Amino acid sequence: YYNENTIVYYNGSFIKASEARGNVYDQTLHYGYGVFEGIRSYATESGVQIFKAKEHFERMKYSCEVMNIPYPYNNDELVAISYEVLKRNNLENAYLRPLVSCTPNMSLTKAKGSHLLIAAWEWGAYLGETLLRLKTSPFRRITPASFMVAAKVCGHYVNSILATQEAKDNGFDEALLLDMEGFVAEGPGANIFLEQDNILYTPQLGSILPGITRATVLEICNDLGIEAIEKQISPEEFKGADSAFFCGTAAEVIGIESLDSIPFKKNWKDSLGFLIQKAYKDRVLVKKFKQEVVSV
Ligand code: PMP
């Protein structure tokens, strides 16, 4: 993620990552009370472009608002600063990590102040390029009865880490988390779609992070005339699907081979997910997706 030359933006200036200092009494360090984003940039024909930068910073602002973390930042400026971080590190295809952490406060009260970090590094496809073998996690996804699930809060990722470890310890590639009612929610770091009879389904908002990639996939479906429905999905329904994929900024669009060792019916290359994956790649590279087959 970094070396001795890495530059980050931290609290108003561009400094060496090795010189960025937190405080051991920072509230975020003790309680996971902070928020972050994950954004990607791409080398496109018209130069480096940060995909949906504004949307990510808007979500970061929302996350801070609902968590009562001071957000004295201007999102247009943060977009400009993000491009500068890329430039100073000679990065084109990169992952950007903005983080708003809280200043010292050992009480369980509202944040007293915030630090802002924007770091960037080269990061390949987060879940790899090969089809994933999923395991239903014994850990349930965080519930709206206890957490602000639509905010991207640091502490929420303890649940993600538990689920990922458990899946990998059992020889699977990734976890699938159910919500507290037992319906399909999302992966530890990505939203999920399934295909059934040429229609895509994805869990409705409520117990999931409203993914920016999920929204892009829905836009692509609209453009390509693919029907996409947001609804509650049971694990049984999921297991009977024709195909499935994860989507997220870091993971992009990645196909799923099986759930709990039960393979999906369609070959990935024949699935709607495969079309979406191609269209997503073109969209982030600001290319127009040429639709070859309309399989609706
Ligand atoms: N769900 C979770 C739990 C995530 O961590 C992510 C990654 N941010 C997503 C979904 C996908 O969100 P996005 O498409 O905005 O990256």
Side-chain angles (χ1 to χ4, degrees):
Y1 311 111
Y2 67 96
N3 59 36
E4 64 278 9
N5 300 317
T6 301
I7 300 292
V8 296
Y9 177 83
Y10 190 56
N11 290 345
S13 36
F14 296 95
I15 56 172
K16 282 193 166 185
S18 56
E19 285 161 15
R21 291 279 172 270
N23 185 301
V24 293
Y25 300 96
D26 280 347
Q27 213 177 1
T28 305
L29 187 60
H30 294 254
Y31 307 125
Y33 175 34
V35 316
F36 68 99
E37 269 305 320
I39 317 179
R40 269 194 194 274
S41 66
Y42 295 89
T44 76
E45 279 168 12
S46 43
V48 176
Q49 296 288 336
I50 301 177
F51 188 64
K52 294 200 170 179
K54 199 71 196 279
E55 284 88 337
H56 282 280
F57 285 112
E58 285 303 317
R59 185 170 65 189
M60 191 158 85
K61 184 173 181 202
Y62 163 83
S63 297
C64 282
E65 275 168 6
V66 297
M67 295 303 292
N68 286 307
I69 296 172
Y71 195 83
Y73 315 112
N74 173 305
N75 279 349
D76 290 329
E77 273 169 35
L78 296 191
V79 173
I81 289 165
S82 299
Y83 277 100
E84 186 62 23
V85 170
L86 293 174
K87 204 165 134 196
R88 291 192 186 219
N89 291 289
N90 291 317
L91 291 167
E92 291 191 327
N93 294 300
Y95 180 82
L96 289 132
R97 169 53 56 82
L99 170 75
V100 181
S101 57
C102 303
T103 55
N105 180 11
M106 290 297 91
S107 302
L108 301 175
T109 52
K110 273 185 196 175
K112 294 196 184 300
S114 57
H115 304 291
L116 171 68
L117 168 77
I118 302 179
W121 58 87
E122 246 169 63
W123 223 16
Y126 177 67
L127 296 171
E129 309 271 359
T130 49
L131 298 183
L132 302 171
R133 293 164 305 116
L134 297 198
K135 177 180 190 292
T136 305
S137 184
F139 297 102
R140 291 292 171 94
R141 189 60 187 145
I142 54 167
T143 161
S146 310
F147 295 93
M148 296 294 194
V149 298
K152 201 164 164 64
V153 177
C154 299
H156 294 178
Y157 285 82
V158 176
N159 172 254
S160 298
I161 288 171
L162 286 171
T164 304
Q165 283 177 5
E166 197 275 340
K168 286 189 188 287
D169 286 350
N170 285 285
F172 291 83
D173 300 314
E174 185 59 307
L176 172 65
L177 291 104
L178 306 181
D179 67 19
M180 289 306 284
E181 294 173 64
F183 292 100
V184 172
E186 59 188 335
N191 291 118
I192 199 154
F193 280 78
L194 72 81
E195 172 187 354
Q196 186 72 64
D197 299 329
N198 287 320
I199 298 175
L200 288 180
Y201 296 91
T202 194
Q204 68 212 27
L205 299 181
S207 289
I208 60 171
L209 185 76
I212 289 164
T213 319
R214 176 184 179 278
T216 306
V217 169
L218 294 173
E219 284 161 25
I220 291 171
C221 288
N222 192 43
D223 290 356
L224 299 187
I226 295 169
E227 194 176 349
I229 298 171
E230 302 172 65
K231 70 171 195 89
Q232 275 188 326
I233 300 168
S234 70
E236 294 70 36
E237 208 176 334
F238 204 94
K239 280 181 191 156
D242 292 334
S243 73
F245 62 89
F246 269 139
C247 67
T249 300
E252 301 179 305
V253 174
I254 177 74
I256 301 169
E257 181 179 284
S258 59
L259 174 60
D260 299 335
S261 304
I262 301 169
F264 290 106
K265 297 193 197 94
K266 270 195 180 177
N267 283 325
W268 173 244
K269 296 213 159 141
D270 301 325
S271 73
L272 289 177
F274 185 69
L275 283 180
I276 303 278
Q277 186 182 50
K278 276 202 279 185
Y280 185 76
K281 277 188 187 140
D282 285 348
R283 192 167 285 230
V284 296
L285 296 174
V286 215
K287 284 185 191 161
K288 195 121 186 72
F289 176 70
K290 282 191 211 70
Q291 193 180 342
E292 290 146 26
V293 204
V294 188
S295 48
V296 188

